[in-house]
Amino acid sequence: QVQLVESGGGLVQPGGSLRLSCAASGSISSFNVMGWYRQAPGKQRELVAVSSSGGGTNYADSVKGRFSISRDNAKTTVYLQMNSLKPEDTAVYYCDFKKIRASLVSEEYWGQGTQVTVSS
């Protein structure tokens, strides 16, 4: 069992910055993928950024150059640094944790979600 606790959401003006955190605890696999997804009202949930324990990262085209995903040294906490925020970034952001076994996803866990609102 893995528990995910998200923090860092809030209200910010366009062009501002915000940093989200997601701390994982419990039965942590050394091979995993952690990422951030977001969902705005009336829209589908979309992938924002992902980070593998091996060091690889990927970003949605809409956030490239503005957002950055990173981990702590133990690789049990993932961060999403969001810069140059736009109103279109307004959504509930969810942390995702996937355990990897033999290059396959064996388990998946979700955080509770944190609201990010970008408005002037």
Side-chain angles (χ1 to χ4, degrees):
Q1 189 69 230
V2 174
Q3 296 80 45
L4 303 176
V5 179
E6 299 181 33
S7 63
L11 175 65
V12 65
Q13 295 183 357
S17 298
L18 210 59
R19 190 176 80 154
L20 306 182
S21 299
C22 177
S25 62
S27 182
I28 306 298
S29 171
S30 60
F31 299 99
N32 60 74
V33 175
M34 298 186 71
W36 293 94
Y37 293 73
R38 67 186 182 187
Q39 187 169 25
K43 295 186 177 181
Q44 298 293 314
R45 183 175 297 189
E46 64 175 348
L47 186 149
V48 177
V50 294
S51 168
S52 71
S53 56
T57 60
N58 287 105
Y59 297 90
D61 288 341
S62 60
V63 306
K64 286 181 179 178
R66 300 188 298 120
F67 291 10
S68 179
I69 190 169
S70 62
R71 298 200 189 206
D72 65 357
N73 292 334
K75 297 185 178 181
T76 55
T77 300
V78 65
Y79 305 92
L80 184 67
Q81 179 66 47
M82 303 184 292
N83 299 322
S84 302
L85 283 162
K86 305 175 181 179
E88 308 93 89
D89 296 318
T90 297
V92 177
Y93 285 69
Y94 297 91
C95 179
D96 174 71
F97 181 96
K98 297 181 177 70
K99 289 187 177 182
I100 306 299
R101 296 286 188 274
S103 301
L104 298 175
V105 177
S106 61
E107 301 174 30
E108 184 174 16
Y109 302 88
W110 290 93
Q112 79 279 9
T114 184
Q115 177 71 47
V116 172
T117 302
V118 184
S119 176
S120 60

